[in-house]
Amino acid sequence: MTRFADFHARSIHDRDAFWAEQAQRVDWKVPPQQICDYSHPPFAKWFVGGETNLCHNAVDRHLQDRAEQAALIFVSTETDQEKTYTYRELHAEVQRMAAILQDLGVVKGDRVLIYMPMIAEAAFAMLACVRLGAIHSVVFGGFASHSLASRIEDASPKVIISADAGSRGGKAVAYKPLLDEGIRLSAHKPDKVLMVDRHLVAFTPVAGRDVDYASARAQHMDTIVPCVWVESTHPSYTLYTSGTTGKPKGVQRDTGGYTVALASSIPLIYQSQPGDTFFCTSDIGWVVGHSYIIYAPLIGGMATIMYEGLPTRPDGGIWWSLVEKYKVNVMFSAPTAIRVLKKQDPALLSKYDLSSLKALFLAGEPLDEPTAKWISEGLNGKAIIDNYWQTETGWPILTICNGVEKAPSKFGSPGKAVYGYNVKLVDDQTGEELTGANQKGVLTIEGPLPPGNLQTIWRDDQRFVNTYWKTVPGKLVYSTFDWAVRDEDGYFFILGRTDDVINVAGHRLGTREIEESISSHPNIAEVAVVGVADQLKGQVAMAFAIVKDSSGLLDAASRLKLEGEVMKVVDSQLGAVARPSRVLFVSALPKTRSGKLLRRAIQAVAEGRDPGDLTTMDDPAALQQIVDLIQI
Ligand code: ATP
Ligand code: MG
């Protein structure tokens, strides 16, 4: 087996040869003439001169060897539907969708906005767009009109594809009124809206604009729509970041680089092979859903499960029952989902036959040790592999590449820099590289960013350069805006976001470190720590915690007692300087729709300021609780 260190070094020092080899994992109509053009940093062009098609690589090319194999398994516990599409059937559905889009005037380079629940038609829609060279912009189905309107304006789509409704916890959530309002609020109007009618909620189509998918599909049962070959650098899609730290950024992705990056990740990171079954529990509205529900598993010739529903309905065993039923080999989820399951009966984990499962990958947020341990034990010691990445990168920056060389995971660490990523820790003040063990710095990536990473911010090259590449003094490097340390073995530990560092009387503390410490108290289920302005100390830490068992917390005295206990834990682990000035108990924490803690909003209200852009927030009541607590 190759040594990972050599493999990684080659990807950086012999970059073009390395990626030329990886590029052979995908089909090219015209092979690339140049592997990487980095003549205009920080803009990197990958596989220049090559022509390919993402849909061809995900669907068509498998028809020869695996036409009758499962490709897409749609499971909805919301509508009690289950349907498996073979590669042959998926190919037919994608062509039907593509034919409809063609009828609606969509050609290469046009934008198509997809505002849909987790149904098979959403996958057809994404694949049909890239088949035609159209650029999709998927907007998470939970977003309301205001967020939707700003994304419609930014993408200026010719066509929007939507549905009458999503469903959550068995209740229909109407999309159509939100969509109509979103279009009304937007300065840009789409020519057409293609409506998938699930018959969950009645709606009135807008005459001349809305097109019914079922009737349009019936016209195209046998229509053949060839893939449109596009340049490797042709954009495949745009997608927004989660908006955890501010206004979301519209990431633009290429075609060739993305296809190669995903194709390589399947064997090298996810240790999967054609014919395997992949179950990623994310949503197509997020980058993990784009890469690991739709594109990568299909590029890899696998079956992918697309799940609509909650992880706890009908009960907390639903995901494991799917692992048993579909013999899932690899699962991919998020720490936030595992924390939800942790509150369920642990017996649900041993009820099903999970012998097919090789590994569980988790991404999106720090994987705290108690959660990692809980799931690792629950899954009988199966590999739990943390992935650290961003919407911007499209695939992991840090993880353990067990497909290159087997290596142990360390709790609390996502692992090492992935091949292709020239990761450097730097001092944010001086820009100096930190090479020693356990030095805390900003995690940066030296250009060119590897294939699959963002090309730019959609329609805003300047914002791309200024946001990501201008923050480290004296250096043109990509900043992730996350703090990290690297241990003696080269394993990185993410300490939190650069704007989550607080300064208490001259001591710089990561809020995440304090959160980790508080979480180790046996009665704390989840906690958010923010820095709050303080006249004396500059800033002080303030903690908002959810308890596991609140039965003993009914009066102020018992709350104070627990607060004191938590403070003692922090004192003993990190020192009194990190001790939060208050530990307040809440029943929920404000999060983005993708499940990330909205620390900036908590911080703002804790300081009595306006919380700013909240369009990606999930549950406003959670923030209101904090507003109320602060006012007491
Ligand atoms: P925005 O950029 O709009 O503020 P966001 O950064 O939350 O939002 P995403 O691209 O969805 O948007 O999230 C990427 C971020 O999530 C990373 O920069 C990091 O802070 C965090 N993250 C992702 N995976 C991990 C992980 N495995 N461990 C720790 N943090 C992670
Ligand atoms: Mg970010």
Side-chain angles (χ1 to χ4, degrees), residues 578-612:
R579 181 200 304 153
S581 65
R582 290 301 316 266
V583 182
L584 299 170
F585 302 102
V586 291
S587 62
L589 288 165
K591 291 191 175 172
T592 63
R593 297 276 184 166
S594 51
K596 290 158 187 264
L597 261 183
L598 269 167
R599 287 197 196 76
R600 70 175 162 88
I602 305 176
Q603 183 187 36
V605 303
E607 292 186 341
R609 289 183 286 114
D610 171 25

Side-chain angles (χ1 to χ4, degrees), residues 241-249 362-367 386-392 414 480 482 494 497 594 596:
T241 59
S242 294
T244 311
T245 56
K247 192 168 177 282
K249 300 167 278 272
L362 297 169
E365 278 180 290
L367 176 61
D386 190 1
N387 276 190
Y388 162 83
W389 45 302
Q390 304 184 308
T391 308
E392 289 87 342
T480 60
D482 289 311
I494 301 292
R497 311 211 181 215
S594 51
K596 290 158 187 264

